[in-house]
Amino acid sequence: MILVTGGAGFIGSNFILDWLATKGTPVVNLDKLTYAGNPANLAAAAKDDRYVFVKGDIGDREFVGKILREHKPRAVVNFAAESHVDRSIHGPDAFVQTNVVGTFNLLEEARAYWSNLKEPERSDFRFLHVSTDEVYGSLGSNDPAFTETTSYSPNSPYAASKAASDHLVRAYHHTYGLPVITTNCSNNYGPFQFPEKLIPLAIVNAARGKPVPVYGDGLNVRDWLYVGDHCAGVRLALNKGRVGETYNIGGNAEKTNLEVVQSICAILDELRPLEAAIHDSRFTIHGSKPITRHSSLVTLVKDRPGHDRRYAMDARKIERELGWRARERFETGLRKTVHWYLDHMDWVDSVTSGAYRDWVELNYADREMGNRK
Ligand code: NAD
Ligand code: TYD
């Protein structure tokens, strides 16, 4: 069996569902259930004998040690993290606590557990750490994409906390020989992503006739990776990756934020034409005439402080060494994602509690949501 941390979040829940469907071996999911963790994401696995959910914090060393000794996993896959850049700007403490101290605790307990294993379990054990392209900093428009040897230059508290955790993971291999593998991926999108991140936020807001906030000039570039492709890359790295190595995973789909939200609006125009909603008061903004195109909801707002301009991943190492490929094109992946959110508005409502509304107020209140693009 494998121990997955943070498996009730966006990528972790997709990973567990894919794992049970493709690999078939048991999974223990250790998750603190922060605002971003939702056991309902794993409803399809809940009755599966191969799936065990444990509520707990990777920062609680005693508990992590107990879980490792009890379940005896052959691998730990660490997704648990605070993951939203804007939240790290408003409150960095939790990022240092979970991403740095939590990963440290997990490494310490994994080291103690692994040291006591006998062969061949000891040699077969893996600690796979899931990280981000944001550790590499920001690219200029003509710079080559990030490779595994690009030096770290994290700019946000989130990126700095992930960089610190990556360094600890690397050091545990170098110093103690712990069999680690790190994957650094670009921006994921797909089902179950919490609607604080750009793509689900834009889909949900536009579908409900609310302004779609785009920071700054909207020309920041991200490299979008469909979550299923990311999960396949993590599985491959876990099973075939070389110990001590890092692998970059990217979607080869660089888009400006404006391109992303305009594409979402075009899909919504097709699936939910606004002519049908022309007398619906939700589709008027600030008392103006009803709108007929979702793109009219796109609103440029005050920029994020320290906003990285461009990320792009060079994924040739994992392609060459492990035979991984991004299979989903951005256009098809985005369409699937829009369909998923339109079909799961009850899920959106269940995860966006009062605490979510407080977050929206904190992050967007002073961003002047009225200036339409
Ligand atoms: P998410 O915020 O959706 O989920 C994080 C999960 O971790 C939640 O279920 C939460 O309850 C859990 N968690 C938080 N603190 C915990 C703790 N102390 N102990 C145990 N569980 C805890 O995040 P995500 O988007 O699924 O990202 C997963 C991982 O992938 C993170 O490490 C993130 O840095 C990395 N990553 C994400 C993206 C992306 O686009 N989403 C891109 C690159 C890297
Ligand atoms: P996000 O989904 O938060 O991921 P990250 O910051 O980790 O890349 O943001 C993706 C891009 O979208 C980023 O350039 C910030 C921008 N963005 C907006 O323009 N408006 C928003 O409301 C949000 C949440 C993000």
Side-chain angles (χ1 to χ4, degrees):
M1 75 137 56
I2 60 166
L3 174 67
V4 170
T5 69
F10 163 47
I11 305 174
S13 54
N14 277 282
F15 179 81
I16 291 174
L17 293 174
D18 283 2
W19 181 274
L20 292 173
T22 55
K23 294 294 294 179
T25 56
V27 179
V28 175
N29 174 14
L30 172 67
D31 196 296
K32 186 182 174 183
L33 297 184
T34 67
Y35 77 93
N38 184 11
N41 296 1
L42 289 149
K47 292 202 181 87
D48 192 322
D49 294 343
R50 298 167 302 165
Y51 175 68
V52 176
F53 176 73
V54 181
K55 184 172 185 308
D57 187 337
I58 58 166
D60 182 346
R61 267 182 69 173
E62 215 174 293
F63 189 65
V64 169
K66 182 173 147 306
I67 295 298
L68 287 167
R69 289 188 297 276
E70 194 175 311
H71 292 284
K72 301 184 176 45
R74 73 165 178 86
V76 173
V77 184
N78 182 29
F79 290 99
E82 290 292 334
S83 68
H84 190 32
V85 173
D86 292 315
R87 287 189 192 250
S88 84
I89 294 168
H90 286 281
D93 311 44
F95 288 73
V96 174
Q97 211 49 50
T98 284
N99 301 1
V100 186
V101 182
T103 304
F104 164 71
N105 287 330
L106 197 58
L107 283 165
E108 272 294 87
E109 289 306 316
R111 178 165 78 93
Y113 165 74
W114 165 75
S115 303
N116 287 323
L117 288 176
K118 303 223 167 8
E119 294 296 352
E121 284 77 13
R122 194 166 192 274
S123 299
D124 290 345
F125 182 77
R126 295 289 179 273
F127 184 103
L128 191 141
H129 178 63
V130 176
S131 191
T132 168
D133 55 3
E134 306 199 20
V135 296
Y136 298 121
S138 184
L139 292 169
S141 48
N142 295 318
D143 289 340
F146 301 126
T147 69
E148 290 78 1
T149 55
T150 303
S151 58
Y152 274 31
S153 188
N155 288 320
S156 69
Y158 163 67
S161 68
K162 291 296 290 186
S165 66
D166 294 8
H167 288 320
L168 283 167
V169 170
R170 183 181 175 280
Y172 269 62
H173 175 64
H174 190 80
T175 306
Y176 305 112
L178 186 70
V180 308
I181 292 169
T182 299
T183 55
N184 293 76
C185 69
S186 60
N187 285 63
N188 283 220
Y189 68 103
F192 297 116
Q193 186 167 30
F194 194 74
E196 64 185 355
K197 305 276 168 63
L198 179 68
I199 287 184
L201 182 89
I203 298 170
V204 171
N205 278 19
R208 291 188 161 157
K210 292 188 188 156
V212 175
V214 176
Y215 298 161
D217 61 6
L219 299 180
N220 301 68
V221 172
R222 298 294 183 262
D223 174 359
W224 293 97
L225 172 65
Y226 191 66
V227 66
D229 280 332
H230 179 206
C231 293
V234 172
R235 279 201 308 276
L236 265 178
L238 183 60
N239 295 328
K240 297 208 289 178
R242 283 188 292 139
V243 163
E245 294 292 317
T246 67
Y247 295 93
N248 282 357
I249 310 179
N252 201 15
E254 286 187 55
K255 307 279 171 208
T256 67
N257 293 335
L258 271 177
E259 284 171 331
V260 170
V261 298
Q262 299 294 7
S263 301
I264 290 169
C265 289
I267 298 170
L268 285 171
D269 282 344
E270 194 190 312
L271 299 179
R272 296 273 170 95
L274 279 179
E275 287 75 15
I278 209 151
H279 299 299
D280 184 332
S281 60
R282 288 177 307 156
F283 290 88
T284 60
I285 299 184
H286 304 301
S288 61
K289 282 194 184 138
I291 60 165
T292 54
R293 289 273 178 266
H294 286 90
S295 56
S296 308
L297 296 162
V298 174
T299 307
L300 290 182
V301 299
K302 191 166 133 200
D303 209 353
R304 170 190 281 174
H307 194 176
D308 283 341
R309 193 63 172 169
R310 176 177 163 239
Y311 303 140
M313 278 303 225
D314 182 336
R316 280 179 295 178
K317 179 175 172 184
I318 192 169
E319 291 175 357
R320 195 176 54 242
E321 286 192 13
L322 308 183
W324 176 85
R325 290 277 177 290
R327 305 210 173 276
E328 193 71 59
R329 284 177 33 247
F330 183 70
E331 294 66 26
T332 50
L334 190 65
R335 186 169 282 272
K336 278 189 198 168
T337 306
V338 174
H339 272 288
W340 189 87
Y341 279 89
L342 292 180
D343 291 344
H344 293 84
M345 281 299 188
D346 51 342
W347 177 88
V348 171
D349 290 335
S350 74
V351 301
T352 49
S353 61
Y356 176 78
R357 283 189 285 280
D358 294 344
W359 162 251
V360 170
E361 174 66 19
L362 179 68
N363 195 40
Y364 296 99
D366 70 344
R367 282 198 149 113
E368 297 178 37
M369 296 279 280
N371 309 319
R372 270 196 267 162
K373 166 80 185 135

